[in-house]
Amino acid sequence: MSQVFSEETHRNLLARIPHCTGREISDWLRTVEEGPALRFEEKVSWLRHEHDLAYGHAKAIIHEYDLRRAARKLL
């Protein structure tokens, strides 16, 4: 079952990703955009296995990607 992170936890995870991975969030979002078309948890699993990310980091990246994609659709 998927964990639900608070907005604060999500922001804290995003802030730590560049330090922990050596890549900026924008790079990760581009990786997701160019990656396979999968469902949320499948994308998290793909990031974890393809890029050796921790579960929390992978989930935060996918959640941020979905938030930004939804915001673009509203414009």
Side-chain angles (χ1 to χ4, degrees):
M1 180 173 215
S2 177
Q3 294 174 316
V4 176
F5 297 141
S6 70
E7 183 63 26
E8 179 182 4
T9 300
H10 175 67
R11 293 287 156 218
N12 288 338
L13 282 167
L14 286 181
R16 294 181 56 199
I17 287 171
H19 173 73
C20 294
T21 67
R23 292 177 62 184
E24 295 297 320
I25 296 300
S26 59
D27 293 336
W28 286 113
L29 297 176
R30 197 168 22 261
T31 297
V32 173
E33 181 72 28
E34 295 168 355
L38 303 168
R39 293 182 176 179
F40 186 91
E41 285 296 330
E42 293 169 331
K43 287 180 188 177
V44 171
S45 182
W46 172 76
L47 272 183
R48 291 183 69 209
H49 294 99
E50 284 293 315
H51 300 282
D52 199 31
L53 292 177
Y55 175 78
H57 291 156
K59 183 171 178 173
I61 291 167
I62 299 302
H63 182 61
E64 186 67 17
Y65 174 81
D66 286 350
L67 289 173
R68 292 184 186 195
R69 190 180 74 199
R72 285 193 310 259
K73 287 182 179 179
L74 292 175
L75 297 177

